[in-house]
């Protein structure tokens, strides 16, 4: 498989009121192949959504790419013209946003909104666009698509709106789909359906998916590769099985441990035992020093960690890399 | 004489809250003028009892009526009929002074800590507000209690002078908890209190809630859609679907021997990854969304999506029946349907 998206040493900064550029993302590198799924995992404020917006070239006004390259099939999209970007969005890359209610236009029917993508990119007429929109709605398992195509977003449930978002994102047959917390706003039963749907569609279309989430456990099944971000830095990355079953960085371990996993079958009634927690919170922008970003919250931190800079992301096995000074001790 | 006291039968005070056939309907407008209006059956005959010092979990999809139940208990939405007995009194009958008196003992923590706090008032004032409104203590005592509460929920003393936007999401939820604790309530309703938080912060807040429960003998009604959290946190669990409780059991029972097809579907969706999950999803995960709660059809509310539904299910409404110790299920076919196996 060829590499579809390649992000190399991407750094993004925020221009403050005084003109100082505060780092938001630092030296982020990853690659996604066609037909595979890459998950970006971390808490709020770790830079997951900023990565997605940088790839879409939709960064908010004060945010600038300070270094690095983003290559889509070898083409550097950071230097692409606005016109080229318009034709890439929807066709080459598309994005499913977190909140379908705010991402859909309340004044147009879902058919119009899906049709817009089709008419823009494949130049089909109104009638043909509606037919294709119906087919897309059927593909994302919306019942009675012939009627639903004429519905406005407020007439649909949250799960249906998210399916419409997916249909819209897939309308231009993108090579890369970015899904930013696509199921956070949804019920668990609907979540499971949406993940299954994404996996099925991916099998058919060979679309590459970049999946953004804060719940590491939830993506374990869907993702092929995982990158864990912390405070704008990638601190662990590798094969999904390897990262989830042998997490090495204390932050990744913390993320996995702090989620109460559902346990099925007969068990003796148990008294409450405190959940493992990661004390403190992600350092805010501008308060990130040159040393290991996780230092202040790390239970494993030693004197050694305090005296050095942010460790490099170095491999511990062929398909698993960790940025931690104590990785060899912790991996053992 | 101590033996006599110990032998006293467990009286009604074992249960803090007794909800009896609670119904909340909202008018949803008329299709045509002069026609009778339709009603959203948000909560449709819900009964449960909450034991003192325990956590009672309510789980269900959006639209199942779990938040409306919570709001009816807090008297934030008017109940259509039923009883909510707290202590000795039906709180649905209370007005004015009586209601204020009960609210000292009954508090709520909402899902979104940002919209639950006033952005223009300092944190300390907001924690103090229930004390001022309910007339608890002297002004000096109130300030002292605010200081104590901040420390208790793990916030620095200077937090009292800050505004909500100066806190992170987790800290804001700590503020909301401090405010709910201020009048020293017996029962706190947590309406999706950790759902909007990141997983790492969620664990911190859950640990905090449990510590407070131990220290203050608090009772919680804990509403969530996350089964993993519910299982760990709660002693008893009610599963709601379209305004009805379809199954209710102690936490240990409901995840070992669930008896309602809807509970199976929820469990299948949330089961830990692996072959068991795949098998469960294959057999038990239902498709689609719940139907509209506006004028629901007769029969079991789940019949439209239930893979095991028979004619009877679509015609008559199943009643809650006891099928084990504290285990109740509302399903016509509960006796014949076998619960899923979780062995793989």
């Amino acid at each position: 498989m060829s590499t579809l998206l390649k992000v190399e040493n991407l750094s993004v900064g925020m221009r403050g009121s005084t003109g100082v550029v505060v780092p938001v993302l630092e030296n982020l590198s990853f690659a996604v192949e066609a037909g595979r799924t890459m998950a970006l995992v971390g808490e709020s404020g770790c830079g997951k959504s900023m990565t997605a917006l940088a790839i879409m070239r939709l960064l908010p006004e004060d945010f600038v790419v300070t270094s690095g390259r983003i290559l889509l099939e070898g083409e550097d999209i950071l230097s692409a013209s606005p016109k080229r970007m318009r034709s890439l969005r929807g066709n080459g890359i598309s994005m499913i946003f977190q909140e379908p209610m705010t991402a859909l236009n309340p004044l147009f029917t879902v058919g119009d909104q899906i049709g817009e993508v089709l008419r823009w990119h494949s130049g089909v007429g109104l009638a043909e666009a509606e037919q294709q929109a119906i087919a897309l709605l059927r593909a994302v398992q919306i019942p009675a698509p012939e009627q639903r195509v004429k519905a406005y977003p407020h007439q649909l449930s949250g799960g249906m709106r998210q399916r419409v978002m997916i249909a819209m994102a897939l309308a231009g047959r993108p090579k890369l789909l970015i899904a930013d917390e696509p199921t956070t706003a949804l019920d668990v039963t609907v979540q499971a359906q949406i993940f299954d749907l994404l996996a099925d569609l991916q099998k058919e279309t060979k679309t590459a998916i970049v999946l953004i989430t804060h719940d590491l456990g939830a993506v374990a099944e869907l993702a092929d590769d995982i990158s864990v971000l912390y405070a704008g830095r990638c601190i662990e990355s590798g094969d999904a099985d390897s990262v989830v079953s042998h997490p090495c960085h204390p932050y990744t371990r913390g993320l996995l441990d702090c989620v109460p996993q559902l346990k099925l079958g007969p068990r003796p009634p148990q008294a409450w035992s405190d959940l493992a927690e990661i004390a403190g919170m992600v350092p805010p922008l501008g308060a990130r020093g040159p040393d290991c970003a996780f230092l202040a919250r790390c239970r494993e931190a030693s004197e050694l960690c305090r005296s050095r800079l942010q460790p490099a992301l170095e491999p511990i096995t062929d398909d698993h890399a960790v940025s931690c000074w104590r990785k060899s001790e912790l991996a053992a | 004489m101590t033996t006599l006291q110990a032998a006293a039968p467990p009286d009604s005070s074992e249960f803090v809250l007794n909800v009896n056939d609670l119904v909340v309907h909202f008018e949803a407008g008329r299709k045509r003028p002069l026609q009778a209006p339709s009603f959203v059956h948000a909560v449709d005959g819900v009964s449960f009892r909450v034991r003192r010092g325990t956590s009672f979990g309510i789980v269900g999809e959006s639209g199942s009526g779990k938040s409306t139940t919570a709001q009816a208990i807090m008297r934030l939405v008017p109940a259509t009929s039923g009883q909510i007995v707290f202590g000795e009194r039906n709180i649905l009958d209370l007005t004015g002074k009586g209601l204020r008196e009960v609210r000292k003992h009954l508090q709520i923590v909402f899902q979104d800590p940002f919209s639950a706090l006033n952005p223009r008032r300092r944190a300390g004032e907001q924690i103090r507000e229930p004390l001022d409104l309910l007339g608890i203590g002297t002004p000096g005592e109130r300030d002292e209690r605010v200081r104590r509460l901040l420390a208790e929920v793990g916030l620095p003393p200077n937090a009292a002078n800050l505004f909500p936007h100066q806190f992170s999401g987790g800290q804001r939820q700590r503020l909301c908890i401090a405010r709910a604790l201020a009048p020293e309530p017996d029962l706190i309703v947590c309406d999706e209190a950790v759902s909007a938080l990141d997983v790492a912060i969620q664990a911190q807040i859950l640990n905090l809630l449990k510590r407070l429960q131990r220290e203050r003998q608090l009772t919680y009604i804990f509403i969530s859609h996350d089964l993993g959290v519910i299982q760990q946190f709660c002693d008893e669990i009610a599963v709601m679907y379209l305004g009805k409780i379809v199954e209710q059991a102690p936490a240990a029972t409901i995840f070992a021997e669930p008896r309602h097809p809807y509970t199976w579907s929820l469990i299948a969706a949330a089961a830990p990854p692996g072959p068991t999950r795949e098998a469960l999803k294959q057999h038990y995960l239902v498709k689609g969304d719940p139907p509209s709660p506006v004028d629901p059809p007769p029969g079991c509310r789940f019949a439209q999506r239930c893979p095991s539904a028979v004619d009877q299910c679509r015609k008559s409404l199943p009643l809650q029946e006891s099928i084990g110790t504290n285990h109740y299920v509302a399903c016509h076919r509960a006796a014949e349907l076998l619960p899923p196996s979780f062995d793989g």
Side-chain angles (χ1 to χ4, degrees):
Chain A
M1 284 280 179
S2 60
T3 302
L4 181 79
L5 174 78
K6 197 162 183 177
V7 176
E8 289 178 352
N9 295 319
L10 179 69
S11 295
V12 172
M14 184 183 73
R15 216 179 283 118
S17 48
T18 51
V20 187
V21 176
V22 182
V24 176
L25 278 178
E26 294 170 58
N27 283 321
L28 183 64
S29 300
F30 63 89
V32 195
E33 288 170 9
R36 286 176 70 89
T37 302
M38 163 74 155
L40 295 178
V41 184
E43 286 172 87
S44 327
C46 284
K48 305 172 306 246
S49 295
M50 283 304 147
T51 312
L53 294 177
I55 298 170
M56 293 295 285
R57 289 271 306 273
L58 290 173
L59 281 172
E61 208 172 323
D62 289 331
F63 289 74
V64 283
V65 174
T66 47
S67 73
R69 297 200 299 170
I70 299 173
L71 303 171
L72 185 73
E73 293 189 304
E75 179 185 357
D76 187 353
I77 56 173
L78 289 177
S79 56
S81 66
K83 190 176 171 202
R84 174 71 188 139
M85 272 321 290
R86 275 200 300 280
S87 77
L88 274 178
R89 288 189 204 112
N91 236 358
I93 330 167
S94 64
M95 182 157 171
I96 304 171
F97 293 91
Q98 186 173 354
E99 294 266 345
M101 199 57 210
T102 47
L104 291 170
N105 189 329
L107 298 178
F108 289 88
T109 64
V110 299
D112 286 340
Q113 297 185 53
I114 298 170
E116 189 186 359
V117 183
L118 296 163
R119 288 194 290 140
W120 184 276
H121 288 293
S122 27
V124 297
L126 270 177
E128 174 61 22
E130 185 174 301
Q131 284 313 307
Q132 289 191 23
I134 291 172
L136 281 161
L137 290 178
R138 190 172 291 125
V140 295
Q141 294 160 19
I142 287 186
E146 291 83 1
Q147 281 103 56
R148 290 288 200 278
V149 78
K150 297 193 178 69
Y152 290 89
H154 76 270
Q155 295 171 311
L156 303 174
S157 67
M160 296 261 238
R161 277 184 219 133
Q162 197 55 284
R163 281 164 215 255
V164 169
M165 285 292 296
I166 295 177
M168 216 157 104
L170 292 173
R173 303 197 155 272
K175 301 186 183 86
L176 174 71
L177 181 66
I178 302 174
D180 187 0
E181 308 250 6
T183 61
T184 309
L186 304 176
D187 285 315
V188 274
T189 53
V190 183
Q191 257 178 41
Q193 294 173 39
I194 296 280
F195 276 147
D196 286 349
L197 176 67
L198 281 175
D200 287 347
L201 292 171
Q202 185 178 41
K203 248 180 244 153
E204 280 168 41
T205 57
K206 293 276 168 261
T207 304
I209 299 179
V210 173
L211 182 70
I212 293 174
T213 177
H214 68 271
D215 191 349
L216 185 48
V219 298
E221 277 174 284
L222 194 63
D224 299 301
D225 302 287
I226 292 178
S227 280
V228 184
L229 301 188
Y230 185 77
R233 299 165 189 173
C234 178
I235 50 101
E236 182 155 11
S237 76
D239 177 68
D241 288 339
S242 177
V243 172
V244 173
S245 49
H246 304 288
C248 190
H249 196 284
Y251 181 62
T252 317
R253 290 184 177 177
L255 278 184
L256 283 166
D257 289 344
C258 65
V259 182
Q261 282 289 345
L262 185 62
K263 297 177 195 76
L264 300 174
R267 311 164 58 228
Q270 281 176 340
W272 169 266
S273 59
D274 269 359
L275 298 167
E277 55 178 78
I278 311 174
M281 54 188 162
V282 183
L285 291 178
R288 298 167 183 177
D291 49 0
C292 174
F294 192 58
L295 190 59
R297 296 173 81 184
C298 187
R299 260 180 300 179
E300 311 284 349
S302 65
E303 276 315 306
L304 180 92
C305 304
R306 282 175 236 284
S307 59
R308 299 204 209 171
L309 300 178
Q310 172 81 28
L313 189 68
E314 284 168 349
I316 49 166
T317 61
D318 287 348
D319 51 9
H320 193 163
V322 182
S323 157
C324 176
W325 289 118
R326 301 191 59 201
K327 59 178 174 289
S328 39
E329 296 161 64
L330 294 176
Chain B
M1 281 297 114
T2 47
T3 47
L4 198 89
Q5 270 177 348
D11 58 356
S12 60
S13 72
E14 185 193 352
F15 297 100
V16 182
L17 186 80
N18 206 330
V19 177
N20 221 331
D21 204 19
L22 178 70
V23 176
V24 182
H25 289 177
F26 298 108
E27 203 178 307
R30 295 153 212 262
K31 290 204 181 91
R32 291 188 201 89
L34 303 178
Q35 204 181 31
S38 25
F39 285 94
V40 176
H41 294 224
V43 177
D44 220 1
V46 159
S47 305
F48 59 88
R49 293 193 291 182
V50 183
R51 253 173 258 272
R52 191 176 297 280
T54 65
S55 307
F56 185 87
I58 305 180
V59 65
E61 287 170 283
S62 25
S64 62
K66 50 193 197 313
S67 287
T68 310
T69 307
Q71 287 169 7
I73 293 169
M74 297 303 300
R75 288 282 303 267
L76 297 174
V77 298
T80 309
S81 67
Q83 283 184 317
I84 298 173
V85 181
F86 180 75
E88 299 287 284
R89 286 162 299 184
N90 178 6
I91 57 175
L92 295 180
D93 295 338
L94 297 176
T95 51
K97 210 173 161 203
L99 189 57
R100 268 201 298 283
E101 188 58 36
V102 149
R103 283 197 169 138
K104 289 181 188 169
H105 307 286
L106 207 55
Q107 290 288 317
I108 186 165
V109 177
F110 294 98
Q111 173 171 9
D112 177 2
F114 204 61
S115 46
L117 293 167
N118 185 335
R120 306 180 60 162
R121 298 189 64 192
R122 292 176 200 278
E125 289 172 53
Q126 301 199 47
I127 297 173
R128 204 189 129 117
E129 191 174 14
L131 301 175
D132 293 337
L133 291 176
L134 298 169
I136 299 170
T138 62
E141 285 167 7
R142 290 175 201 164
D143 286 338
E144 175 52 34
R145 197 183 281 188
V146 169
R147 267 194 294 278
R148 234 181 34 231
L149 284 166
L150 284 173
E152 214 167 325
V153 298
L155 290 171
N158 69 335
N161 294 318
L162 302 178
F163 288 96
H165 75 266
Q166 293 170 296
F167 295 94
S168 70
Q171 288 177 321
R172 273 183 229 136
Q173 199 57 296
R174 286 174 196 267
L175 282 180
C176 293
I177 292 170
R179 182 175 61 182
L181 286 175
E184 307 206 321
D186 300 311
L187 182 119
I188 298 184
V189 177
C190 302
D191 187 2
E192 302 265 15
V194 296
S195 310
L197 305 174
D198 271 323
V199 285
I201 308 300
Q202 173 179 302
Q204 294 175 6
I205 299 293
L206 288 172
N207 289 343
L208 171 67
L209 287 172
K210 268 293 167 192
R211 175 167 64 77
L212 294 169
Q213 180 168 45
R214 272 198 308 271
E215 289 171 2
R216 297 169 164 248
Q217 318 301 317
L218 283 169
T219 309
Y220 289 126
I221 293 182
F222 190 86
I223 295 174
S224 177
H225 62 268
D226 186 330
L227 286 184
V229 170
I230 284 263
Q231 178 181 40
Q232 294 265 320
F233 196 86
C234 297
D235 303 289
E236 255 182 282
I237 293 162
V239 180
M240 283 191 78
Y241 186 78
L242 277 189
K244 296 262 184 209
I245 292 182
V246 295
E247 184 162 8
Q248 188 181 326
T253 313
I254 208 157
F255 295 108
E257 276 182 82
R259 299 296 292 274
H260 196 283
Y262 180 61
T263 316
W264 302 344
S265 176
L266 280 182
I267 289 177
T276 315
R277 175 192 167 93
E278 289 313 309
L280 288 172
K281 269 167 69 178
Q282 197 81 43
H283 287 99
Y284 301 108
L285 185 63
V286 297
K287 295 265 183 268
D289 300 312
S292 156
V294 179
D295 295 336
C300 174
R301 295 289 160 80
F302 189 55
Q304 285 182 36
R305 294 169 85 193
C306 181
S308 317
V310 292
D311 270 351
Q312 188 195 11
C313 303
R314 285 179 267 275
K315 282 180 195 137
S316 75
L317 192 68
L319 298 175
Q320 246 193 35
E321 278 170 44
S322 169
I323 52 159
T325 320
N326 293 323
H327 191 172
Y328 303 90
V329 64
C331 175
H332 286 308
R333 303 191 63 197
E336 34 173 332
L337 293 175
L338 289 176
S341 136
F342 296 126
D343 302 332

